[in-house]
Amino acid sequence: ELIDRLQKAGAAVVGFDAVFSEYDRLSPGEVANSFRSLDSDARSKLQALPSNESIMALAMRRLPTVLGQVGLQTALPPEHHETRVASPFRAEAGGDPRPFLLKYISLLPNVPELEAAAAGLGIFSIGADVDGKVRRIPMLARIGKDIRPTLTLEMLRAVYGTNTLITRRDAAGLQSVQMQLRPALGGGSFVIPTDANGRLWVHFAEPDV
């Protein structure tokens, strides 16, 4: 319902800074398996209904939706699957950016049905500065040898409809992340300047009170 309402309101993309890592226990099929007192007819009817994940996946296909993932400093728990969705095509200008990126051992993913319907997958793990304040958010992160976009960058990529990301670096580290735009949007590129570790300084708004 939330995704459908956002679509009617004219949203271009939706991003969830949450992980749907487990199946909804209130899906009809899950309820049918949970209540032993159900008669066979009621159980069969519940199991024949679509799951809550399949309903959400349909809404996600109507409006580009980017799902969040969390970077872990441990191996992925065995009850979770690894993400099967490929990263966007990426080119490297000036050299390999991996030595400068934030590094995680694994990713906590969403359930497969939702990831398959997503317009993109983005990490929303952030790190604070030494004083505990968050001033910068990463555009990219490293999972082993793989480079993954973060939620902010992946939402922009979904809006622009591009599969091409370009990292640019020099001897000191990263300088920018670049997206190639579709011809329908005028072509060209959209460049996001970053610090040496591929992070963007956040321009925080003034507090409301």
Side-chain angles (χ1 to χ4, degrees):
E1 289 178 355
L2 175 62
I3 295 171
D4 287 340
R5 288 185 180 186
L6 288 169
Q7 182 185 25
K8 291 177 181 178
V13 65
V14 173
F16 283 98
D17 56 346
V19 182
F20 302 95
S21 60
E22 298 177 351
Y23 288 100
D24 188 351
R25 61 184 177 84
L26 298 180
S27 280
E30 296 294 326
V31 171
N33 294 329
S34 299
F35 291 92
R36 298 179 180 177
S37 59
L38 289 175
D39 60 66
S40 58
D41 184 55
R43 190 182 308 277
S44 297
K45 288 180 179 178
L46 283 171
Q47 290 174 337
L49 293 172
S51 68
N52 291 350
E53 286 77 22
S54 66
I55 294 172
M56 182 175 174
L58 287 175
M60 290 169 60
R61 289 188 171 96
R62 291 191 289 267
L63 174 64
T65 302
V66 177
L67 296 182
Q69 297 179 319
V70 172
L72 304 175
Q73 296 297 353
T74 60
L76 186 66
E79 64 270 18
H80 293 285
H81 74 100
E82 292 186 3
T83 292
R84 302 299 181 191
V85 180
S87 297
F89 173 78
R90 185 179 42 78
E92 299 169 359
D96 185 359
R98 290 173 180 81
F100 302 98
L101 297 177
L102 297 177
K103 182 180 178 181
Y104 298 101
I105 294 174
S106 63
L107 280 177
L108 181 63
N110 302 271
V111 296
E113 293 88 338
L114 296 183
E115 292 205 343
L121 302 169
I123 303 168
F124 63 93
S125 303
I126 57 176
D129 288 341
V130 292
D131 59 359
K133 292 183 172 61
V134 175
R135 298 181 177 88
R136 294 168 287 187
I137 57 172
M139 293 291 100
L140 299 166
R142 176 181 169 188
I143 313 298
K145 294 182 179 180
D146 193 17
I147 295 178
R148 292 273 176 178
T150 53
L151 187 62
T152 304
L153 182 61
E154 191 69 343
M155 289 178 69
L156 285 171
R157 191 183 69 81
V159 168
Y160 286 123
T162 178
N163 284 324
T164 303
L165 298 176
I166 302 171
T167 56
R168 189 172 302 277
R169 56 151 285 190
D170 59 16
L174 267 74
Q175 297 173 312
S176 65
V177 178
Q178 177 179 326
M179 289 187 291
Q180 296 301 113
L181 305 186
R182 293 179 297 167
L185 296 172
S189 60
F190 181 76
V191 179
I192 305 171
T194 68
D195 69 4
N197 300 114
R199 297 175 297 180
L200 175 72
W201 288 90
V202 180
H203 179 73
F204 288 105
E206 292 293 330
D208 294 332
V209 292

